[in-house]
Structures are given as C-alpha cells and as structure tokens.
Amino acid sequence: MKQNYEKTAAELLAEHGVTQERGLTAQEASSRLELYGPNAFEKEKKTKLIVKILAQLKDVSVIILLIAAVLSLTMAIIEWEGLHSLIEPLVVFAVIVMNVILAVTQERSAENALEALGNLSSPVCRVLRDGSVGECDPKRLVPGDIILLKTGDLVPADARLLRSESLAVDESSLTGESVPAEKDADAQLEGDIPLGDRANMVFSGCLVTAGNAVAIVTETGMQTQIGKIARFLTETKQKKTPLQVRLDKVGKIISGIAVMSAIVLFVVSLIQNGGVLTMDMIIVAITLAVAAVPETLSLIVTLILTQGAKKMAAKNALIRQMQSVETLGSTSVICSDKTGTLTMNKMTVKRLWVYGAEPVPEDADFDGQKMRFLEQLALACTATVGRDDDGNEKIIGDPTETAIVTLAKAKGIDYEHLGDRYEKVGEVPFSSSRKMMTAVVRRPEGGYLVLTKGAFDRIPFDRSDKNVLYELEQMHDSFASDALRVITLAGKVVDTLPENLEEVESGLTFYGFVGIIDPPRPEAKAAIARAKAAGIRTIMITGDHAATAGAIARELGIITANEGIITGQELQKLSDEKFAEVIEFYSVYARVSPEDKIRIVKAWQTRGEVVAMTGDGVNDAPALKAADVGVAMGKNGTEVAKSAAKMILMDDKFSTIIEAVAEGRNIFSNIRKLVYFLLVCNISEIIVMLFAQFMSGEGWGLPLTPLMLLIINVLGDGIPGMALAKEESDKRIMNRKPIARNESFFGGGLMEVIIRQTFVFAIVTLAAYYVGLHVEMGGVAPTIEAAQTMAFLVTGWTSILHVLTVRSRKSIVFYHVKDNPRLYISCAVMLVLLGGLAGLAAIPAVGEALEMSALSGWQWLIVVALTLAPTIVAEYGKFWDYIRSRNAERTRVR
C-alpha cells in the first residue's frame, strides 16, 4: 500500500473526495470530525494523590511498622498510665507519616510531557472550505481539509503539499537536523523514505521558515508523526531505577529477617507459656518490629540524593527525579543526540577557498583576496542584524547565511553598512527547485555586481575548461567528504540590467567555496574520552545524514576502527534478535525515527546496560522517557523533551553529564555505606531481642524497650547517618568500571564484614545487659533497669562510632576531621546526648519515663570498654584486608 508521500496530489484529492479549488464543505468537515475525532492528543491519566499514598503503604517495612504502631497504641490504651504511654505509638506513627510524605513528594514523572506537546499546535490555521478561506481552530481540522501555509506558521497537521513556493520548514524537533528542510510539492518519492527526506510532506508542530504553500491534510491527532510520539510517551512506562531495585532488595532482606524472627519468637513464646498468648508476647513483637525496620533509611537516602542534586545544580544540571542522580553512577552507555548536545546547534563556516589559493580554516588570517571574497558572500546574504529579548546582538535569517554573516563580522566587515557602498538593486530569491539565489548590487565605481550563491552543480558558471572544472570538483568533494555543507559563490559585472532579472544568471565566473557545518562543542571530545576511561560507551543517535554524523563522530572520538554507522532504514530491516547480536558494532545511528531511538535504548537495556539518553527535540521525548536516565537540553530543548527527561542540562554541555556520572558514583558509594551502617545496627538489635527471649526462662527480660530502640534508631543511627551525605569518594572513582545494573550493595566482600560486625555488636550489647542484670558493682545491686540502661548506652554508642568505621575500607586513622567535620560534630553531640539521657535517669521521674536507672562508676567504665570493642574488631579486619590485598598485588606483579 502506498504511503501518502508516494501518492500524487491528484490521487490524494480523489481519495479524500475534495477539490483544491473549493475544499471540504462545512457539513462534510463536521461529519469527518465525528468520524476521526479532534486534531488533538489523548490525555494521559494522572495518578491521584491517595493512590500514590496507598502505593507507599504496600511496602513490607511500612506494613511492619504500621502493625507495631497499632499494637503499641492498643497496649497503651489497655495499660493506660498517663499521656507518656502514647510516646511510643506516636513516634512510630510519626516515622511512618514522614517516610510516606518523603516518598510521595520525591516521586517525579513525565506527566507534563503530553501537555507540552499540545503547546506545539498552532493557535489558529487557515483552511479552505466551501470555496472560501477562513480561520479555523486546528483541533477542528480533519483529513481532506485544504490548508494554506505561510512563513511563520506552525503546521497544524500532517499534510501532502499540493503547491509550494520557496517553502522551507524547520523540522529539527522531529528529525534533529539543524538546517530547515526544503520542500517541493512536485517531488515524486517511492519506497521507504526517511522522515527528513519526505520533501512533499509537512508535519504537525513544525515551523514554516520561508515561502508559502497549499496542502491537503492527511493525518490528524494521534495519527500524525507528533501524535505517534505522544502515543509512545503514553505507552512507555518508566522502569524502576537501579537504586529503587537495590533498596527494595534491602527492604525484603530486612523484612524477611523480621518475619522469620517474629515467627521463631512467637513459637518460642507459646512453648514457654504453655500455648497461652500474653501481653508480654505483644510487647516483644512490637519491640522486634521496631528493631527490625531502619526507620531513618528513607530519610537519609533522600538526604544523600538531595545533596547530590544540589551539587549537580551548581554544575548546571537540574535533577527532576532524585533517584536518577544515583542511576547516573551506574550508566554504562550514553546515547547522545548530535545536534545541540555534541555540537553547537549553530551552523558555522569551517573552511574557505578562493580559486587560485589554498583552502584555509575560519580562524586563519585572511588576506585581501579572501576578505574580498567574504565581503561578496555577505553581500549575497539577506540575513539581518537585530536584538534578542535580553538586548544582545542577534543575526536573524537562514542558518547558512547566519554562519556567513557571523564570520564576516568576526573578520571586521561592517555588514550592517555594506549597503551604504553597495546598494542592493535586485534579487532573485532562493527556491528548492533552483537551489541558488542571486543578489545584484550597484558598484561605487559604476555598473552592477551580480553575485550568485548556492549548490555547486546548479550555478551557471563557465565549465568549458575541463582541467579547471576537474580542480573545482576535487576541491568540492574534499569539502563534502568532511561532511561540510558546500556553498558556491560565482558572479560577474554588468553595465545594465535586463527587464527579467533571472537573465543575469548566466556566464558567471567562479569565485570560491565556503564549507559550513554545525561544529562539535569544544569540551565534548575531552568529556567523551573521560567517559571512555570510566568504562562508559558513547553512542550517537541522530536524525541527521550519515555522512555528517560520521564526520562529527570521528572528530569526537566516538567512532574507532571497529565500529560503524547504521541508518534508520538499515536498522528497520534487522529483526530484534539480529539487532541484539550486532548492536555493539555500531556507535553511530543516523537518519533514525523516534521509534528507532526507543528500539536502540531498549536493545542496550536488554544487554544489562544502564542507558542515559540525551536529546532536545520532540522526536527525542519517547526515548528520553524509556531510558534509565533521560537528559534534556535546558537552553535549546523543547518543553516536551524537558518534561519527559529526569535531568535537564542548563548549559547543554555533554561534559556536564560526565560530571553527573561522577556524582552518581559518589552517591552509590555513600548509600552503600549507609546500608552497611544501618543493617549492622538493626540486625544486631534483632539478634539481641531473639537471644533474650530464648533466655527468658533464665530470668532475662527485654534488654531494650521499644522506646529505647526508637531513640537509638533516630538519634544514634539517624543523625550520624545523615552526615554520610557529605562524604566524598576516592578521586579515582571515574577510573573504575560502571556499577552494574544487578550489582548488589553487598558485593566486594561487604556481606562478610556486615555479618562479622553484626555479631560483635550483638555480643557487646548482651554482655552489657548481662553485667547489669547479674553482676554487683561498686555496691550497687544488679537490676533490670540498670541492665537495660547499660544495653541502651552500648547499643547507641556503638552505632554512633560505627559511622566512622563505614566511611572507608581504610583505617579511621587515615581520615581527618576536616574531611567531613559535620560527621564528627554529629557523632560527638549524639554521644553526649545519649550519655546525658542515661545520666538524667538518676532523676526518678525522668528515669521512670525513659525506663532507665542511674549507673555506678564501674558500670559506666564497663559500658565504655564494651562500646570500643566493635571498632577495634573492625580496625583489625581492615588491617588484615590490607595485608591480603597487598600480597595479592605482589603475586599479580610477579
């Protein structure tokens, strides 16, 4: 079946039952509106706030805390002893509410992407109906409508051109091309033609930059090219980030331990109580639940991510989804758009050649001959010099002419006042069929200078000398082989002008070439090299031509000897299975569609890679949403791209992405430290509670009450843990391989360290409790309150000192206070605060509320000694790790 661009104008008019002279009738337009629906996008349903809140309550750790809070509240009501009975349940409920609020407020999505797409539609369009032209709401356009377009219009729907005059349309948002696409209603196309080469079609949301046209609407709403992008945005679901997956695993581990412990505890309790359920069992269950769940985990992770986001904001990267900061640390493939990200998105003259001389780059010193040639080129331009909204000078016009005028002004040519010496008296405008334009100026010395610029094969200069022509062709091809857009200038001097100005376009003399390209960003090459050193592969995905993309990729170092270029047409011929086999051989994907971009991103993801995707256009939005981290351009990006992305580059620099990757790796390191820190603290508390329950027959009670555990988890774990957000990782972090998608927090031997430290923590807490419960010291009789106070201090203080241990696999003696002063200050304050709480227990009312008692001097000494033991064991373990790694390195070198 023929595509619309393959059909003739007559075929389409007949197919839609309409004539070019009268258009649709109002009645027919109304009936088609009923059939096809409005020319608008389907809205994506937004998730209600209550649904988001309920989704957070599904988390197992939250459920455990909820059960504990309800049980605690029930116990408080049954055994009411005043308002202080509500302290425990209220604290637990407060922790739950705080975590849910954090989760909901930090949740980000691309819900605004479709609304931004809607803003690309024209506010009004001109349509021919019942034989007369009138203005119409674009939403009421239907297939078969005849629309009229002029310079400055936004195309309201996809349409096949019926008539066009010097028409050029900016399709960069759809294709990624920097230069407006030249359109021709008479173009006859066959076969599978890329979107950017469909010269007889115009597409919804694109801007008419020159000329005018009449076209017949072929698709509206979700059937347009931009509508298909809207559908991709709706259907593309964002996956969980690697961080969310890892934290889910941690939550499951903790929850599994808690559930298993609760079952064991319940069975043991029933056996010990002869099968009778008692209130003591409920108290133990509450205590175990509080001990199991690291209440501050979500809070501290959010703080670490927020700290990372602030650092990135200072480096011109705006984070829209907090988790994406850490995800960047796992990035192993960056799929980058070419235009505006790797290049300047500004056409620039790169090379100039005047016949009879050597070609020179734009930054060379120009002699009189080259300056005269550049001045003539500028005279052949129609661009104007104006001001932008900020009052800065801005050259307004076609990108090619803008590049020429920019170079002329940089070389000292007074472009604005050229007309004072060379009065323009005539012009033959550029058209897509002619591919050239002519300017005629009056010379100060008399006569007229005819200047014609355009495509080399169209300009009518003298081609009789085959040797000269061969030289010109060779130079043209050398420019073109470097993906430069070659503009030819020729001219002549005449004494009089003919009535038909086009007659001057004959017998011209060849003057020279300029080569124009959208050049690479100065910092991009170094950033790509840095990414490569970090084990990150850079892929270029663009809607531009393969030759242009390849030249830029080679200059930036993206393409090496073993990698090639593939076009969207070639890609579509490959099955998913075959594509998966060969994907690693291609680093440049040219002339691709939005569907191709999603396919490329997903293909890399299926290989286990973490993919970051950059882009600025509407055509990039679906892939930005599908990628693990979508990165939009802040300066030149469309609102659609920004809405679909998780990060926005405010400076549009590729190098900023690499800075973000380094920060992401640092964040992963800090969260890993946090998990190590909290797991040891919380699981050791579970072991303590379980062991005490098994020993209940020997007169043991609960070593730690629920209130004590909450104080420890919030103050002893939470406050020092927050200071981990300020930690800075090893400077060599960007010389390591990317963090694998499935890499666990516990890799690299960390699980063994966690198990060892967990048991050491549990042993010293149980030892403190045993001493307080069974050993008389300094004339003070052992009591359950003293035992619990000692256990409380040892558990809290060891947790605080533990944060110093988790900072690095190196010994704590190699770190200085200045490395992270906030960490040391928070540790000191919390040590004093927990010690102060125990000291205040000497006051009867305070001791009763806190369920503690005063300690003797000897008991304080025992607490200090036991508190230092886990740190000593950890330092001993680090020492042996260092010895083993050094011996392994020596063996490897040998």
Side-chain angles (χ1 to χ4, degrees):
M1 182 178 177
K2 278 187 177 181
Q3 298 292 322
N4 286 317
Y5 59 81
E6 297 179 271
K7 298 173 184 177
T8 64
E11 285 176 328
L12 276 170
L13 287 168
E15 183 180 316
H16 289 281
V18 65
T19 64
Q20 187 175 336
E21 293 72 29
R22 290 195 58 80
L24 292 174
T25 65
Q27 183 179 357
E28 178 62 21
S30 180
S31 63
R32 291 192 186 191
L33 188 62
E34 288 286 329
L35 176 64
Y36 294 107
N39 179 31
F41 304 133
E42 296 171 0
K43 297 293 183 181
E44 185 177 19
K45 291 183 179 179
K46 293 188 177 182
T47 308
K48 293 181 180 179
L49 179 61
I50 186 65
V51 175
K52 291 181 178 180
I53 293 173
L54 291 175
Q56 300 304 322
L57 297 180
K58 292 178 183 177
D59 186 81
V60 179
S61 59
V62 175
I63 291 172
I64 292 172
L65 274 181
L66 274 172
I67 294 171
V70 171
L71 288 173
S72 181
L73 182 61
T74 305
M75 287 292 297
I77 294 170
I78 292 173
E79 300 181 355
W80 183 259
E81 296 179 1
L83 289 176
H84 71 273
S85 301
L86 295 176
I87 292 176
E88 289 176 12
L90 288 178
V91 170
V92 179
F93 276 121
V95 168
I96 294 169
V97 171
M98 178 179 63
N99 286 335
V100 170
I101 290 173
L102 277 171
V104 172
T105 55
Q106 292 301 331
E107 192 175 294
R108 295 285 189 271
S109 68
E111 289 177 346
N112 297 324
L114 289 177
E115 293 177 13
L117 266 178
N119 293 334
L120 291 177
S121 61
S122 175
V124 69
C125 64
R126 292 185 299 153
V127 62
L128 175 68
R129 286 180 180 171
D130 290 318
S132 62
V133 177
E135 292 188 340
C136 172
D137 184 345
K139 291 182 180 179
R140 300 189 65 82
L141 281 182
V142 294
D145 261 327
I146 306 298
I147 57 173
L148 288 76
L149 302 170
K150 66 181 188 306
T151 302
D153 285 347
L154 274 175
V155 180
D158 288 6
R160 167 64 159 87
L161 295 172
L162 301 176
R163 189 178 73 246
S164 64
E165 184 178 337
S166 302
L167 186 68
V169 181
D170 180 0
E171 297 179 343
S172 59
S173 61
L174 282 177
T175 65
E177 284 196 71
S178 308
V179 180
E182 298 167 7
K183 297 295 181 178
D184 184 2
D186 298 326
Q188 294 297 317
L189 306 174
E190 292 182 3
D192 187 12
I193 306 295
L195 195 69
D197 295 331
R198 297 175 189 174
N200 56 16
M201 297 286 296
V202 288
F203 303 104
S204 177
C206 296
L207 178 68
V208 178
T209 59
N212 55 74
V214 177
I216 179 171
V217 173
T218 54
E219 284 96 7
T220 59
M222 299 298 284
Q223 300 307 311
T224 62
Q225 292 297 323
I226 203 169
K228 291 176 181 177
I229 291 174
R231 193 176 300 281
F232 280 126
L233 285 171
T234 304
E235 295 174 353
T236 303
K237 301 302 180 185
Q238 291 182 337
K239 299 165 63 177
K240 282 190 174 183
T241 67
L243 173 62
Q244 289 170 323
V245 172
R246 292 185 184 107
L247 289 177
D248 285 347
K249 287 182 179 178
V250 171
K252 288 176 182 177
I253 289 172
I254 294 171
S255 302
I257 292 172
V259 171
M260 290 298 296
S261 301
I263 292 172
V264 171
L265 202 65
F266 187 73
V267 171
V268 171
S269 299
L270 281 177
I271 293 172
Q272 291 175 339
N273 288 280
V276 179
L277 183 65
T278 65
M279 286 296 178
D280 288 340
M281 292 185 196
I282 297 175
I283 294 173
V284 171
I286 295 170
T287 308
L288 187 66
V290 173
V293 179
E295 291 85 355
T296 55
L297 178 62
S298 296
L299 176 64
I300 301 174
V301 166
T302 300
L303 185 66
I304 291 173
L305 294 174
T306 303
Q307 180 67 25
K310 286 180 180 177
K311 288 182 182 178
M312 290 317 306
K315 296 178 181 178
N316 293 310
L318 178 65
I319 304 300
R320 294 187 70 248
Q321 187 193 48
M322 285 297 175
Q323 287 85 354
S324 62
V325 187
E326 185 275 337
T327 307
L328 278 162
S330 301
T331 299
S332 54
V333 173
I334 299 177
C335 296
S336 178
D337 183 41
K338 176 182 74 69
T339 307
T341 309
L342 298 174
T343 64
M344 300 290 289
N345 195 21
K346 182 181 179 182
M347 299 303 286
T348 305
V349 174
K350 291 296 289 180
R351 199 178 304 163
L352 180 145
W353 180 62
V354 180
Y355 182 69
E358 290 296 318
V360 294
E362 84 285 1
D363 55 358
D365 292 328
F366 285 11
D367 57 22
Q369 182 189 27
K370 295 179 180 63
M371 288 296 291
R372 191 161 52 251
F373 173 70
L374 186 57
E375 184 178 73
Q376 290 170 338
L377 262 174
L379 282 170
C381 292
T382 59
T384 58
V385 179
R387 299 282 172 181
D388 60 18
D389 295 338
D390 298 324
N392 300 316
E393 185 177 273
K394 180 182 181 182
I395 300 172
I396 304 165
D398 176 85
T400 299
E401 293 195 342
T402 299
I404 293 169
V405 173
T406 299
L407 179 62
K409 287 176 67 63
K411 294 298 183 182
I413 295 174
D414 188 0
Y415 176 75
E416 294 95 316
H417 296 98
L418 275 179
D420 297 344
R421 289 189 295 123
Y422 297 95
E423 180 191 356
K424 183 174 284 189
V425 296
E427 179 183 308
V428 183
F430 178 89
S431 73
S432 55
S433 58
R434 287 161 30 85
K435 292 193 180 297
M436 63 180 183
M437 67 85 63
T438 296
V440 181
V441 298
R442 182 180 283 113
R443 300 196 309 161
E445 61 269 32
Y448 301 94
L449 177 61
V450 177
L451 295 167
T452 302
K453 75 178 193 322
F456 174 67
D457 59 343
R458 296 296 183 91
I459 292 183
F461 60 83
D462 182 11
R463 299 172 187 260
S464 58
D465 190 328
K466 298 302 179 184
N467 290 327
V468 172
L469 183 60
Y470 177 76
E471 182 184 356
L472 300 184
E473 288 174 344
Q474 290 294 105
M475 187 60 68
H476 177 276
D477 291 347
S478 72
F479 274 50
S481 64
D482 290 332
L484 298 175
R485 189 180 191 198
V486 187
I487 304 298
T488 306
L489 180 70
K492 66 179 180 180
V493 176
V494 296
D495 295 327
T496 59
L497 298 176
E499 287 187 17
N500 182 4
L501 200 58
E502 287 191 20
E503 292 178 11
V504 301
E505 295 179 329
S506 63
L508 304 177
T509 300
F510 176 86
Y511 289 166
F513 293 133
V514 285
I516 299 175
I517 198 170
D518 181 11
R521 285 183 169 275
E523 76 286 345
K525 187 172 184 177
I528 289 169
R530 189 182 177 201
K532 195 171 186 178
I536 302 168
R537 182 167 176 177
T538 304
I539 304 295
M540 180 190 288
I541 304 178
T542 179
D544 214 339
H545 292 280
T548 306
I552 296 294
R554 290 185 187 93
E555 189 172 344
L556 290 173
I558 292 175
I559 292 182
T560 61
N562 298 323
E563 296 154 357
I565 304 171
I566 187 171
T567 65
Q569 284 178 287
E570 294 168 333
L571 180 60
Q572 288 167 11
K573 295 175 183 176
L574 298 177
S575 65
D576 289 341
E577 293 76 16
K578 182 64 177 176
F579 182 37
E581 291 177 14
V582 301
I583 188 171
E584 62 183 304
F585 298 113
Y586 298 104
S587 290
V588 175
Y589 298 83
R591 225 65 179 141
V592 294
S593 66
E595 300 98 305
D596 295 331
K597 292 184 179 185
I598 291 181
R599 192 178 173 201
I600 294 164
V601 167
K602 290 186 174 179
W604 281 108
Q605 287 174 332
T606 56
R607 292 172 64 92
E609 307 290 352
V610 177
V611 180
M613 170 76 194
T614 76
D616 57 2
V618 175
N619 62 325
D620 299 314
L624 288 173
K625 187 174 179 181
D628 294 290
V629 183
V631 182
M633 303 299 109
K635 285 184 177 180
N636 298 313
T638 61
E639 288 304 314
V640 183
K642 293 175 187 177
S643 297
K646 295 177 183 175
M647 186 173 87
I648 299 172
L649 300 183
M650 303 312 295
D651 57 4
D652 287 10
K653 291 182 179 180
F654 183 84
S655 57
T656 304
I657 303 173
I658 309 305
E659 292 292 334
V661 170
E663 184 56 39
R665 292 189 178 187
N666 184 62
I667 285 170
F668 174 83
S669 175
N670 286 345
I671 294 177
R672 192 169 185 256
K673 293 171 187 175
L674 174 66
V675 170
Y676 168 25
F677 172 61
L678 292 179
L679 278 186
V680 169
C681 297
N682 285 74
I683 296 177
S684 64
E685 290 165 5
I686 294 174
I687 293 172
V688 167
M689 302 309 297
L690 281 174
F691 185 84
Q693 186 62 25
F694 280 116
M695 297 296 290
S696 60
E698 304 297 322
W700 284 49
L702 288 178
L704 298 164
T705 66
L707 181 59
M708 288 178 178
L709 285 168
L710 280 171
I711 292 172
I712 292 168
N713 287 356
V714 174
L715 300 182
D717 301 349
I719 304 300
M722 289 179 187
L724 287 174
K726 291 288 186 179
E727 281 293 291
E728 291 293 338
S729 297
D730 195 309
K731 300 294 183 185
R732 298 168 296 177
I733 198 166
M734 285 299 285
N735 294 330
R736 302 170 186 167
K737 290 182 179 180
I739 304 155
R741 181 186 292 276
N742 57 357
E743 184 173 331
S744 168
F745 282 129
F746 310 113
L750 184 60
M751 180 57 79
E752 291 83 350
V753 176
I754 289 174
I755 292 171
R756 181 191 67 208
Q757 291 301 112
T758 298
F759 279 103
V760 174
F761 270 52
I763 289 169
V764 294
T765 299
L766 289 169
Y769 182 70
Y770 179 84
V771 170
L773 191 64
H774 296 289
V775 180
E776 182 179 334
M777 286 191 170
V780 177
T783 63
I784 183 76
E785 290 78 10
Q788 288 178 329
T789 304
M790 290 180 70
F792 167 77
L793 279 173
V794 170
T795 304
W797 279 356
T798 51
S799 296
I800 294 167
L801 294 181
H802 181 49
V803 80
L804 302 177
T805 297
V806 304
R807 293 185 68 194
S808 172
R809 293 293 181 93
K810 296 179 182 178
S811 172
I812 59 176
V813 300
F814 293 113
Y815 280 80
H816 305 287
V817 174
K818 65 179 181 180
D819 295 332
N820 188 351
R822 181 176 296 185
L823 182 71
Y824 290 91
I825 292 170
S826 64
C827 285
V829 171
M830 289 305 106
L831 285 170
V832 172
L833 183 58
L834 292 187
L837 285 174
L840 288 172
I843 303 171
V846 176
E848 184 180 351
L850 296 175
E851 301 172 346
M852 298 182 194
S853 69
L855 300 180
S856 68
W858 282 103
Q859 287 174 324
W860 278 101
L861 286 174
I862 294 294
V863 165
V864 171
L866 290 172
T867 297
L868 295 174
T871 302
I872 294 169
V873 171
E875 287 295 293
Y876 180 76
K878 288 179 180 181
F879 173 75
W880 278 109
D881 286 343
Y882 167 75
I883 296 296
R884 283 197 297 268
S885 63
R886 189 180 64 177
N887 291 339
E889 180 65 21
R890 287 176 177 173
T891 303
R892 187 184 65 80
V893 171
R894 289 173 187 169

